[in-house]
């Protein structure tokens, strides 16, 4: 099983987001900011209200309710979602999901892999080769 992002349970979002990570200096807390340009979830034929973003993989599901639409000329054009973690364990779980998502969508993944937990930043990008 690969990894998927859903705005409606059971319906994978086909649009790959730009994902940016920030972490606190001690590495315990942080956020992943997702930006979906022209996502399928905003199409007129969608099933209803978006109540959250669900990150689904073989380990289960992570959920965030922090989802906002970005509007251009009165029309929703993008979704912005933020997933927040408060422990190192939660961060490691998120990173396992991010790696599975990158692998299942043939994406490059670049991230701060250093030994220090100082304000790591990373992103998943569809046009970047993997950097190790």
């Amino acid at each position: 099983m690969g990894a998927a992002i859903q705005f409606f349970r059971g319906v994978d979002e086909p649009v790959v987001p730009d994902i940016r990570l920030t972490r606190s200096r001690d590495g315990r807390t942080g956020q992943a900011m997702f930006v979906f340009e022209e996502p399928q979830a905003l199409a007129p034929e969608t099933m209803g209200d978006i109540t959250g973003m669900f990150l689904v993989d073989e380990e289960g599901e992570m959920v965030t309710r922090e989802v906002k639409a970005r509007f251009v000329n009165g029309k929703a054009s993008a979704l912005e979602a933020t997933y927040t973690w408060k422990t190192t364990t939660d961060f490691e779980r998120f990173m396992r999901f991010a790696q599975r998502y990158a692998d299942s969508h043939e994406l490059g993944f670049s991230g701060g892999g250093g030994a220090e937990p100082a304000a790591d930043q990373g992103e998943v990008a569809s046009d970047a080769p993997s950097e190790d």
Side-chain angles (χ1 to χ4, degrees):
M1 173 185 179
I5 298 174
Q6 302 174 347
F7 292 102
F8 305 105
R9 278 200 165 89
V11 180
D12 295 354
E13 173 58 55
V15 173
V16 175
D18 179 46
I19 305 170
R20 302 206 180 269
L21 306 179
T22 59
R23 287 176 71 189
S24 63
R25 290 206 179 274
D26 66 7
R28 287 190 197 135
T29 63
Q31 295 182 322
M33 284 79 59
F34 296 74
V35 178
F36 297 82
E37 297 291 342
E38 304 284 330
Q40 194 67 38
L42 291 177
E45 65 276 5
T46 56
M47 300 175 210
D49 294 337
I50 295 171
T51 59
M53 179 178 72
F54 309 95
L55 310 175
V56 182
D57 66 7
E58 62 214 36
E59 289 184 57
E61 177 183 274
M62 297 177 288
V63 179
T64 182
R65 303 293 180 196
E66 287 185 57
V67 180
K68 297 182 263 185
R70 185 184 334 136
F71 291 82
V72 175
N73 297 325
K75 181 180 178 230
S77 66
L79 286 174
E80 298 174 356
T82 303
Y83 178 79
T84 302
W85 59 85
K86 299 197 184 318
T87 67
T88 304
T89 302
D90 289 345
F91 171 70
E92 290 167 357
R93 168 66 178 103
F94 174 79
M95 292 305 291
R96 288 191 305 274
F97 167 83
Q99 187 62 59
R100 288 182 187 116
Y101 186 81
D103 291 347
S104 63
H105 290 80
E106 298 179 3
L107 305 176
F109 178 77
S110 63
E116 328 177 46
D120 277 343
Q121 292 190 343
E123 63 184 89
V124 175
S126 57
D127 57 354
S130 181
E131 297 176 12
D132 290 321

